[in-house]
Amino acid sequence: MGRRASPLELKLSATMFSATDRCCRASLLLLGALVAGAIAHAGIGVGKEFLLPNGSFENGFDAWSSWTSDGQVHLVPSAGPSGGLTTIQCDLTPGVEATLALTLPVAYPNSTPFDTQIFAAEGQKVEFGAWFYMAANCSVGDVFIQVLASDGLATTIIAESEHLHAASDPHGRWLFVRTRPVGATDARIPRGAVDFSVVLHVQAAGTVWLDEVQGGLFEYAEYTLGAPSFEDPTQFAQSWTTTGSVALSDPAAGRDAYYGERYLKLQGSGLAQAAQAILIGDGQASPAPKQVPEACGWFYLEPDVQGLGALGNPSLWVKLSISAWTPGTPLNSAVSMASVKWTPTLADKGTWVFLQTQPKTNQALPFDRTHLRLVVEKSLNGTVRTDFVQTGERYGVNGNPKRHVAANYVGWYRSPLFPGATTNPTSPAALWRNWAWLSPPACDPNYVALDHNPDCATSPSCIRMNLRRDGATSVDATLDSLPLAGTYDSRDPDLLRYHVRLARAIGIDSFVYDHQGHALAALNAAAGTEPINEECFEALLDAAEAPGSDLKIAVMYEPKVHFNGWIPNEPTLAAKKIGIENDLVHLVTTYFRRKSVLKHDGRLVVYIFRNGICDGAGTQCMQDSDWQDVFDQVKLVTGRALCLIADAQPGESSPFNGMSHWKLVTLGMLKYQNFTDFVNHIASWPAPTSEPLQALAEGSNSKSNAWASADDKNRFGVAIAWPGFDDSGVAGWAASNLLGNDGNSLCVRVGADLGGAFYSATLDAALASGSDWIQIATWNDWNEGTQIEPQWNARFVKYANNGWVAPQLILDQTLQRAYETQAAIAMFKGLALGVGLDPAAIEACAADYVRTAGVTYD
C-alpha cells in the first residue's frame, strides 16, 4: 500500500482485508468498531474530529505554511517512501530545522455546533496527531508536533507531542505521534485567543516523510476490542487466543451476563487464560504510541470455586493485565503496562466484581512495539465469569458502554387494584398517591378545575370521557395523556418487567431512580403506611436482574426529605447531614452487590437532586464541604466510594464526579405566559419558538461540560434531553413557580408543543453537546408531562388484543416519544436503526404487555 505500507499492512493483515485507498484506515477502524457492537472513541473522538483543510496533503501545501531555518527549500510534495498518495517529504542537513503549520480560527461567541467552519472555542481541549516516517539516513535530531494559541499579539504553546528521536526510535516504518497537554492551559484554548495552530517540527538530519494530520477535541481513548462482551462466538474465535479450559456461556442455559447475553468462562482446576493483541496505530479506536493504557472488566465467581476462605490466598487469584508486545517475539519480551490481581475471599462468591488495572510508574506505550496485549486469567480452582472487558487510554474506560443513555424513573404511584397494596387508606391522596391531586393552584385557592380524583368511591368524575381513570396528568393537549398501562401501581412486577424490556428495546442503558431514602421508608412503615418508593426500587432491581436483562439502575437521591422536615428530630444542619449519610450508607450496604445497580469505575452512581438545597428559612444549606463530609463518612463506614453527580455546578473542590444541569422550564418556552391566560386557554401570541428552548438546553449542557472539562481525568458531563413539560396535572404542585409576563406568579407551567419540535430540539442539543452520557428526563413522570412511556390509545389496545400491528398513525400516537428516543440513541451510539435498534421491538413490547398483563388498570 505504497507510502505507509508498514502500519497499514499490519492493519490489513490483522483484519484480513485488502485496500488500495487512503480511506481504508478509517473504514477498517469504523468497521471493526461496528462489529464490536458500538463505535469506540479515541483520543480525538468520533464526532469530535476537525475537518482539517488538506490534512492529508493531497493538494500539496494548500492551507499550510512552511518555514526552514536556512531559507532553502527542504519540504516538497512526494509519493512517499514506497510510492502512493501524496505526502510531504523533508530532507535536511545537520543543524537545519523545518516546520509545517496550519492555523485555525477560534469559535466566535455566537457560533453553534452546527457551523461548518468551527473548530474549537475558548476553554475547549484540543489534540493533534500525524504520521512520520524516518528513512535509514536519519541518525540524529528530533521530530515532533506543537499546538500554539495566539491572541493576535502573543503565542502560547498549549500542547506538544513526544519527540521521535532519530538516534533511537524505529526507522523504515510509519509512526504516529500525537500531542499531550503542556503548561497551565492543559491543551485548552485560552481566553482571548483568536486562532490556534498545529505545527509539525522536523529537526532530524536526513529524510522524513509527513502525512495525515488529525485534530479534534480531546477525550481519553477507548480502544476497539474484538468480542469485548463475548456475544459473537465467531468473532471471539477470531479475536482471542486461549490457554486451559475456556468457553463461552450458552444463553439457552441462562442469561445472566453483566452486559449482553454471553460471558467468558475461565474454568477447570488451575490456570486458564484468554488474550487478545490490538494493533498500536493512530488512536482512532486503537492504541497510539506514548499513551498510558488501562483495562477493566467484570468478574464473577461461580459456586464451584474451591479453596476460598475468609481471607484472600495469594496463590488463588484472578488477574487482568496489559503489555506492549510485537507478535512473533517471545512473550517475556513484552513490556508490562498495567495490571490488577484480585485474591478473592469466600464472601466474594455470587456477585459481579469490577477490576481495573493500575498503571506502572511513567509507563507509556513505546514506539518499538507494535501491539497492545490484553490478558484475563485465573489460577484458582473452579469457574470465573468474565464480561464486558474494556481497554483504552487511562481514564478512558469505566465498566460501562462509552456512550451511555439514562432515563429518570419515578416510583411513587399506587393503585388499590394491585394485590401488593396491603393497607386500606380512606383518603384518595393516600389511596392513589401521585395519581391523585386535590390541592388548588397557588394563584387561586378556589380553582378546582385542576382536581384529579381517580377514586370512584369518593368522586363521581373519577373516569374521564375516554373511559380511563382520571389520574393526575394534564388534559391541556388530550384526555389520552395517561399511561398505556393505566393508572398503575409502581411496585407491580409485570409492569416493571414491561418497563425494563421496553427501555432496553429503545436503547436506554439505565434508569435513574428518584429515591427518597431509607429513613422516610422506615418512618412510613412504622406508621402503617406502605413505603412505596423503597418497595418500587427493590422491585425494579429485581426486574432489571431477570434472565436476559442487563439494564442498570442508578439512584437520584432527594435530600429534600431532610430539609423539608419530613424526618423528625433534625433541627440542625449537622443532624440533617447525619440523616443523609445514613440514607446513603443504607444504599451502599444494602444494594452495592446487586448486578443491576449502576457503577462507574466500580463506584455506585448517585445523582443528587438539588445539591445546593436549603431549608425553608434559607439558613441551613448544603455546600461542597458538607457533601465532602457526607462522602467521606459513607466511605469510612462502608469502605466504598460513591460516584456523585450534581444537578447544579459544584465548586472546584468537591466530591462530585459528574454534573447534569437540571433546569427544564423558562418563561419564553411556555404556551401560557400568565395564569389568567391559562385559565382562559389563551395561548401566547406570538407563539413561542424553539429558540428559548434551544438556548436553555444548550446552556445547561455547556455548563455541565465546562465544569467537567476543568478536570477531565475525574469528571464527566451529562447532557439532558426532555420531551416537554406540563405540571397542570398537579396544579403546578400548588406552588407559585415562575413570574408570568404580567409580573404575577405563573403557578402552572405548560410547555409549548412547538409544532411537535420540542423533543427534537432538546435531543439535538444533547447530541451536539459532545457529552458521552445523556439523561432523558423522564421515563414516567406523568405529573409533569415529561414522560416517554407509551400513552393510552384505545385503538392500539384493540389491535394488540387481536394480535395485529396497528397502522402507523396509531403507533405514532401511542409510541411517538419512544420512537424519537430510539432514533436519537441509534445516532448517538452509531447504530443502524432497524438493525442495532429496531422500532418494531417497541411496538412488540407495548403490545405484549397489553395482551399479557397480570393486573388490569384503568
Side-chain angles (χ1 to χ4, degrees):
M1 169 58 208
R3 54 187 173 69
R4 56 180 185 276
S6 294
L8 193 51
E9 282 176 358
L10 286 169
K11 286 191 176 77
L12 297 179
S13 64
T15 54
M16 299 179 65
F17 285 95
S18 61
T20 58
D21 191 85
R22 175 186 299 279
C23 69
C24 292
R25 178 183 287 125
S27 299
L28 289 171
L29 290 170
L30 178 59
L31 176 62
L34 291 174
V35 169
I39 290 181
H41 295 263
I44 300 171
V46 175
K48 301 178 183 179
E49 62 269 35
F50 301 147
L51 298 177
L52 297 179
N54 195 30
S56 58
F57 303 115
E58 293 310 298
N59 296 317
F61 291 110
D62 283 2
W64 292 80
S65 60
S66 62
W67 170 87
T68 58
S69 61
D70 64 356
Q72 303 300 308
V73 176
H74 295 285
L75 297 156
V76 295
S78 162
S82 303
L85 301 177
T86 305
T87 71
I88 299 299
Q89 179 175 330
C90 181
D91 291 284
L92 297 180
T93 56
V96 178
E97 300 179 21
T99 64
L100 270 177
L102 175 68
T103 299
L104 305 171
V106 172
Y108 48 88
N110 296 321
S111 59
T112 74
F114 305 103
D115 291 334
T116 57
Q117 294 303 312
I118 295 308
F119 293 99
E122 289 182 2
Q124 289 186 312
K125 190 170 182 176
V126 297
E127 179 180 24
F128 286 85
W131 289 89
F132 295 91
Y133 185 112
M134 295 188 295
N137 64 359
C138 285
S139 60
V140 65
D142 291 354
V143 178
F144 60 99
I145 307 172
Q146 286 182 328
V147 182
L148 313 177
S150 173
D151 61 5
L153 297 174
T155 299
T156 303
I157 301 173
I158 63 173
E160 185 170 325
S161 73
E162 295 282 345
H163 288 218
L164 274 177
H165 303 298
S168 58
D169 287 320
H171 293 58
R173 67 183 179 94
W174 286 95
L175 300 171
F176 188 75
V177 174
R178 57 192 307 189
T179 61
R180 287 288 179 270
V182 297
T185 62
D186 195 37
R188 290 179 173 83
I189 305 297
R191 182 177 299 277
V194 296
D195 58 46
F196 62 106
S197 305
V198 53
V199 183
L200 312 183
H201 291 264
V202 181
Q203 299 172 350
T207 303
V208 177
W209 286 272
L210 305 78
D211 199 9
E212 291 197 27
V213 182
Q214 303 171 6
L217 299 180
F218 178 95
E219 68 176 17
Y220 290 100
E222 180 182 3
Y223 310 144
T224 297
L225 284 171
S229 199
F230 310 106
E231 298 302 301
D232 185 339
T234 300
Q235 191 186 20
F236 171 76
Q238 294 172 347
S239 304
W240 294 83
T241 59
T242 62
T243 302
S245 180
V246 178
L248 296 183
S249 66
D250 180 3
R255 295 178 168 185
D256 48 3
Y258 190 81
Y259 275 120
E261 295 186 343
R262 295 182 189 267
Y263 49 83
L264 181 71
K265 296 195 293 183
L266 304 175
Q267 307 173 119
S269 59
L271 184 68
Q273 179 189 96
Q276 182 172 161
I278 314 157
L279 183 74
I280 296 174
D282 64 357
Q284 290 291 323
S286 66
K290 297 303 178 179
Q291 283 183 334
V292 176
E294 71 176 0
C296 64
W298 292 92
F299 297 84
Y300 181 102
L301 305 182
E302 292 200 351
D304 67 342
V305 171
Q306 301 173 7
L308 300 181
L311 300 176
N313 184 335
S315 66
L316 303 177
W317 47 259
V318 177
K319 187 176 180 181
L320 175 65
S321 60
I322 45 179
S323 58
W325 179 58
T326 298
T329 64
L331 286 176
N332 61 14
S333 69
V335 180
S336 178
M337 294 285 108
S339 65
V340 58
K341 181 183 283 187
W342 174 41
T343 54
T345 68
L346 190 61
D348 291 317
K349 275 191 175 185
T351 187
W352 285 97
V353 174
F354 178 73
L355 298 182
Q356 189 167 41
T357 61
Q358 294 299 312
K360 308 291 184 181
T361 303
N362 298 322
Q363 195 69 285
L365 289 169
F367 285 111
D368 63 354
R369 300 294 193 275
T370 62
H371 286 71
L372 181 71
R373 187 170 185 264
L374 169 71
V375 181
V376 293
E377 55 190 328
K378 63 93 180 178
S379 70
L380 46 76
N381 294 331
T383 303
V384 179
R385 300 178 190 173
T386 303
D387 200 12
F388 206 71
V389 177
Q390 295 175 299
T391 184
E393 189 174 8
R394 193 181 184 197
Y395 312 112
V397 293
N398 59 62
N400 299 291
K402 179 73 172 183
R403 291 203 159 173
H404 184 98
V405 180
N408 288 85
Y409 193 100
V410 296
W412 50 40
Y413 303 116
R414 186 187 191 276
S415 170
L417 301 179
F418 173 54
T422 56
T423 61
N424 190 29
T426 56
S427 73
L431 196 65
W432 294 91
R433 295 288 178 94
N434 275 46
W435 291 129
W437 190 265
L438 299 173
S439 298
C443 292
D444 186 350
N446 299 312
Y447 191 75
V448 297
L450 298 180
D451 287 359
H452 295 279
N453 184 357
D455 182 42
C456 293
T458 58
S459 171
S461 57
C462 64
I463 304 295
R464 295 184 182 180
M465 293 181 65
N466 63 353
L467 304 182
R468 305 304 293 165
R469 196 176 292 272
D470 185 30
T473 68
S474 173
V475 297
D476 184 77
T478 172
L479 292 176
D480 286 343
S481 183
L482 289 161
L484 178 66
T487 47
Y488 53 74
D489 193 291
S490 290
R491 301 161 293 180
D492 183 349
D494 292 323
L495 172 96
L496 295 173
R497 283 191 292 270
Y498 155 57
H499 282 179
V500 167
R501 180 187 171 200
L502 181 59
R504 291 305 281 138
I506 291 171
I508 290 169
D509 299 295
S510 69
F511 281 148
V512 181
Y513 186 83
D514 190 278
H515 203 294
Q516 297 175 339
H518 181 66
L520 183 64
L523 189 67
N524 288 338
T529 304
E530 297 161 30
I532 290 177
N533 181 258
E534 189 168 81
E535 290 177 346
C536 175
F537 178 63
E538 293 180 344
L540 184 59
L541 292 176
D542 291 340
E545 292 172 4
S549 173
D550 61 358
L551 186 82
K552 305 306 176 191
I553 313 295
V555 163
M556 176 172 274
Y557 176 68
E558 296 243 34
K560 72 179 182 183
V561 169
H562 299 277
F563 280 82
N564 288 356
W566 297 358
I567 306 298
N569 302 318
E570 293 183 339
T572 64
L573 178 61
K576 293 176 175 62
K577 285 168 60 176
I578 291 173
I580 293 170
E581 290 164 2
N582 290 338
D583 277 344
L584 295 179
V585 166
H586 181 269
L587 276 172
V588 174
T589 56
T590 308
Y591 305 111
F592 182 85
R593 289 169 60 90
R594 299 290 297 262
K595 184 190 87 167
S596 57
V597 171
L598 179 66
K599 302 178 183 75
H600 184 284
D601 285 325
R603 297 164 298 162
L604 190 145
V605 175
V606 179
Y607 293 71
I608 302 296
F609 190 71
R610 303 300 182 237
N611 50 291
I613 192 169
C614 298
D615 65 354
T619 57
Q620 299 176 10
C621 300
M622 289 294 287
Q623 300 182 30
D624 288 341
S625 59
D626 298 304
W627 286 113
Q628 187 68 59
D629 292 341
V630 169
F631 178 89
D632 292 341
Q633 183 64 18
V634 172
K635 186 176 181 180
L636 177 66
V637 173
T638 67
R640 302 187 188 278
L642 297 171
C643 177
L644 295 179
I645 300 176
D647 78 341
Q649 182 170 322
E652 288 307 301
S653 178
S654 80
F656 289 93
N657 300 105
M659 177 183 169
S660 63
H661 187 63
W662 186 283
K663 185 177 181 181
L664 307 186
V665 182
T666 58
L667 183 64
M669 53 176 271
L670 297 183
K671 180 178 179 180
Y672 310 108
Q673 298 195 358
N674 59 66
F675 183 71
T676 300
D677 286 350
F678 169 77
V679 170
N680 295 315
H681 300 288
I682 300 174
S684 300
W685 187 259
T689 64
S690 62
E691 280 75 10
L693 177 62
Q694 289 173 335
L696 174 62
E698 291 171 5
S700 292
N701 297 336
S702 65
K703 286 179 181 178
S704 298
N705 284 340
W707 175 81
S709 69
D711 183 4
D712 54 4
K713 294 181 177 68
N714 300 301
R715 299 179 186 172
F716 59 97
V718 182
I720 295 185
W722 64 105
F725 193 94
D726 183 348
D727 64 4
S728 62
V730 287
W733 304 103
S736 296
N737 299 313
L738 307 172
L739 288 180
N741 61 4
D742 59 358
N744 298 316
S745 296
L746 182 63
C747 295
V748 176
R749 300 163 292 180
V750 180
D753 179 64
L754 303 179
F758 191 112
Y759 196 17
S760 62
T762 64
L763 285 170
D764 287 347
L767 293 175
S769 71
S771 296
D772 284 328
W773 280 36
I774 289 178
Q775 182 180 352
I776 307 296
T778 65
W779 175 264
N780 67 332
D781 191 344
W782 291 89
N783 298 136
E784 291 189 345
T786 58
Q787 76 287 338
I788 62 171
E789 180 186 359
Q791 77 168 26
W792 171 254
N793 187 292
R795 290 177 295 173
F796 178 89
V797 171
K798 179 179 179 180
Y799 276 88
N801 280 327
N802 284 282
W804 307 328
V805 176
Q808 192 62 50
L809 177 62
I810 297 173
L811 294 178
D812 289 342
Q813 291 170 346
T814 311
L815 308 171
Q816 182 60 36
R817 288 181 174 180
Y819 285 150
E820 284 190 72
T821 306
Q822 186 189 63
I825 291 173
M827 183 180 297
F828 179 60
K829 296 188 176 184
L831 302 174
L833 196 61
V835 180
L837 291 171
D838 189 354
I842 296 175
E843 185 276 337
C845 288
D848 285 351
Y849 178 77
V850 167
R851 286 191 295 268
T852 63
V855 176
T856 301
Y857 301 100
D858 52 17

